Amino acid sequence: MRHFFDHPKAVNLSDHSFLYRCIELAQKARRDVYPNPYVGAVLVHKGKIIGEGYHQYAGGPHAEVNAINSVRDRSLLKDSTIYVSLEPCSHYGKTPPCSDLILHHNIPRVVIGVRDPNPKVDGGGIGRLKSNGVEVLLADDPSDFIYLNKVFWVNQLQKRTFISLKWAESRDGFMAGSDENGISFPVQITDSHQNRKVHALRAYHHGILIGTDTAAIDDPSLTTRCFPGRNPIRLVMDRHLRLNENLRLFQDGLPTWIINEKKEEEGKFLKYIRFDFQSGLKALMKKLWKEHQLASVLVEGGAQILNSFLLKGLYDEVNVFQGKMDLEKGLRAPEKPDGLAWDDKFRAYQGNYLSLL
């Protein structure tokens, strides 16, 4: 059940400034917090920052704990404001409730970017603080704070894996070239700068998904070798387990999940997930979250698998990397869907959106 309160808004310009500092701090964690949200916290006394912190890794101290622990003179806390990008928790998990910590230190004012969508928290932290006399304010516009945790929002509210689609296309809309016989062949469409962006996108996601043909023809590694980030878990659709066992995906010792209809088995690096392909992609996304806690997936397959997701409306974001050359003929890139919120600066999350990179 959602709890509703008549919250005053944080309209003070300095409030907004300190709240956006919380976003900067939260982003330092990258993917280490999954499946938990990104959270940053700032403590301010008479307009001066006296402490900062962020949630650094899943199971570790929360942002509020790290911020309070960074304060040298704890006597200032009773006259300070704590800014937090996400509502302080009110339940016991791997750590005690942060709302209780705030009360323990007699912090009189709390400014929050957005309420927590987790049913275990949603409004509970705010309610606990307010009932104990703490002044609680919320940001005027929560969109940037929701965008910060877009993956967490989908996980919590839709109970499924967050879905990103990605492809590269030429300036005239082709994914690959073709010869005089109409046979497609790969073309290097993106430059080194865009390749780094691709690998940064991979590092952000928990998993990366390709289809059988892409695995067989391209033999990709799907790593973040051009960006200093963690490799995503590779997922390959191999319905009948016909892929060659010598592919790099199966031999390089990095985690790979094989979605198939024949067996359920887990080894040191390879994990076979049995799935009824007739159930559809939507069912697969729910299964990957519910049973395997896969928070987000980047679909980087060929045109066939990308179009399958597009036709079903199964995407939360679409990332198109556009090259500078014209191919004139070849394999057509998927049609970019209509009705997406255009957001090339990765600012406000407004539901589905399109990013042209």
Side-chain angles (χ1 to χ4, degrees):
M1 177 181 295
R2 295 182 69 87
H3 304 278
F4 293 92
F5 301 91
D6 181 19
H7 301 304
K9 299 295 184 180
V11 295
N12 187 298
L13 287 178
S14 63
D15 283 342
H16 285 294
S17 175
F18 293 129
L19 277 176
Y20 278 88
R21 175 57 182 162
C22 292
I23 291 179
E24 292 177 354
L25 291 167
Q27 290 173 328
K28 291 183 177 183
R30 295 191 179 177
R31 213 180 70 223
D32 296 329
V33 299
Y34 282 3
N36 298 325
Y38 295 108
V39 185
V42 174
L43 277 154
V44 176
H45 179 263
K46 294 184 178 180
K48 180 181 178 181
I49 294 177
I50 59 171
E52 293 185 334
Y54 64 96
H55 185 38
Q56 298 179 11
Y57 57 91
H62 287 190
E64 298 92 328
V65 176
N66 288 329
I68 289 172
N69 286 343
S70 73
V71 176
R72 291 183 179 180
D73 185 355
R74 301 287 179 87
S75 68
L76 300 178
L77 292 175
K78 65 183 185 334
D79 296 310
S80 298
T81 296
I82 186 168
Y83 295 84
V84 192
S85 56
L86 186 69
E87 175 182 3
C89 62
S90 56
H91 68 291
Y92 281 87
K94 293 183 178 179
T95 59
C98 291
S99 54
D100 285 359
L101 181 68
I102 292 169
L103 294 173
H104 174 75
H105 288 283
N106 298 309
I107 299 172
R109 187 170 182 263
V110 180
V111 182
I112 299 168
V114 68
R115 280 171 47 166
D116 194 326
N118 184 345
K120 293 180 179 179
V121 180
D122 186 19
I126 292 172
R128 178 154 178 73
L129 293 170
K130 287 172 68 84
S131 66
N132 283 274
V134 176
E135 180 186 7
V136 180
L137 298 93
L138 287 172
D140 295 316
D141 181 359
S143 58
D144 284 340
F145 302 95
I146 295 174
Y147 177 77
L148 171 67
N149 282 304
K150 58 188 179 181
V151 170
F152 184 70
W153 242 253
V154 167
N155 295 163
Q156 292 297 318
L157 298 182
Q158 298 191 30
K159 307 301 180 186
R160 64 166 172 83
T161 298
F162 180 94
I163 307 164
S164 296
L165 308 184
K166 171 265 167 183
W167 69 84
E169 63 179 40
S170 63
R171 190 167 54 184
D172 54 352
F174 293 95
M175 292 181 71
S178 65
D179 59 23
E180 60 275 8
N181 298 316
I183 307 292
S184 296
F185 58 85
V187 176
Q188 182 64 47
I189 292 174
T190 54
D191 58 26
S192 59
H193 177 66
Q194 289 173 312
N195 285 341
R196 183 175 172 82
K197 284 187 175 182
V198 170
H199 288 217
L201 192 62
R202 289 177 179 176
Y204 174 79
H205 287 83
H206 197 176
I208 182 169
L209 174 68
I210 61 171
T212 309
D213 289 345
T214 299
I217 296 170
D218 296 347
D219 190 15
S221 60
L222 305 178
T223 64
T224 60
R225 58 194 177 277
C226 295
F227 184 81
R230 185 183 299 183
N231 291 318
I233 297 169
R234 288 93 56 94
L235 293 88
V236 57
M237 306 281 275
D238 186 12
R239 185 172 186 173
H240 304 294
L241 295 180
R242 293 175 178 170
L243 284 172
N244 191 316
E245 63 181 16
N246 292 319
L247 291 175
R248 275 184 284 190
L249 290 172
F250 305 144
Q251 295 295 328
D252 63 7
L254 297 176
T256 301
W257 297 357
I258 301 98
I259 314 298
N260 72 97
E261 286 190 337
K262 294 186 175 294
K263 67 177 180 178
E264 187 92 14
E265 183 179 296
E266 185 168 1
K268 187 175 182 180
F269 302 111
L270 301 182
K271 182 175 183 178
Y272 292 84
I273 298 174
R274 184 187 290 118
F275 175 71
D276 179 5
F277 277 57
Q278 295 296 323
S279 299
L281 292 172
K282 186 175 182 179
L284 176 61
M285 293 301 106
K286 288 186 177 295
K287 178 183 178 72
L288 290 175
W289 168 248
K290 182 179 180 180
E291 298 180 18
H292 303 279
Q293 292 74 56
L294 189 77
S296 62
V297 65
L298 179 65
V299 182
E300 200 177 304
Q304 182 176 348
I305 193 169
L306 285 165
N307 279 318
S308 296
F309 276 88
L310 286 165
L311 288 172
K312 296 292 184 181
L314 282 174
Y315 51 86
D316 297 291
E317 66 180 29
V318 178
N319 301 278
V320 181
F321 289 79
Q322 192 172 66
K324 298 178 180 179
M325 83 286 281
D326 291 321
L327 293 179
E328 298 183 356
K329 62 179 182 178
L331 176 64
R332 273 283 175 192
E335 290 290 329
K336 291 182 277 292
D338 295 327
L340 298 184
W342 184 266
D343 190 2
D344 59 354
K345 293 183 180 179
F346 288 84
R347 288 282 296 162
Y349 179 61
Q350 301 171 345
N352 295 332
Y353 69 93
L354 175 68
S355 178
L356 189 63
L357 302 167

